[in-house]
Amino acid sequence: MRRIGVTGHRDIPGELHAHVRAALRTALHAAARGHEGGLEALSSLAAGADQLFADIALACGAELTAVIPSGEYEDDFDDPEELARYLWLRKRATREVRMDYPRSTDEAYYAAGTYIADHCDRLLAVWDGRPARGPGGTGDIVRYARGLGKPVTVIWRAGVERS
């Protein structure tokens, strides 16, 4: 089975949504094409890039593995729609891996991100190329995956700034 993981920003500028969706769809279709063993998509199901990726992966017929950073992860969702989306996606996951942290901390997020990098064949990064804003952010996970020698596909458009 081919395994594709995701890391990415929670806040994606509106002008970039169509580009990110198209690039994720293209990457997932390419990963699935010609691979008879199926496709597994690894995501923490956070708002933003993780949820977009999970939606598209399911639509492409991938098996979804939810990598949950902590026992109280649901408390991190301030927006009721984002929480509802997380719960919906989590129910559709074939597998769930929960990190051994009671609360969501930077350490828990980093552990989930490195788990995804450790267990994927390719990492898709919805990333503006800038350093992480906090430990365990997208930039940290990209650096970690590259350090492992994992192929990383960066999805972003030059000139677009994240708020």
Side-chain angles (χ1 to χ4, degrees), residues 40-45 54 63-69 73 86 89-99 112 115-116:
E40 179 182 359
L42 294 95
S43 171
S44 291
L45 307 180
E63 292 183 12
L64 180 61
T65 295
V67 181
I68 310 301
Y73 188 46
Y86 161 77
L89 288 165
R90 190 171 156 210
K91 286 180 185 174
R92 277 140 193 87
T94 305
R95 279 175 291 293
E96 181 174 301
V97 175
R98 188 175 293 267
M99 301 294 99
Y115 180 94
I116 290 171

Side-chain angles (χ1 to χ4, degrees), residues 22-36:
L24 289 171
R25 191 174 301 110
T26 297
L28 285 161
H29 280 298
R33 201 173 23 252
H35 195 79
E36 295 179 27

Side-chain angles (χ1 to χ4, degrees), residues 108-130:
Y109 290 131
Y110 187 75
T114 58
Y115 180 94
I116 290 171
D118 286 338
H119 293 86
C120 71
D121 300 311
R122 172 173 295 280
L123 184 69
L124 304 180
V126 180
W127 180 47
D128 61 4
R130 303 188 70 156

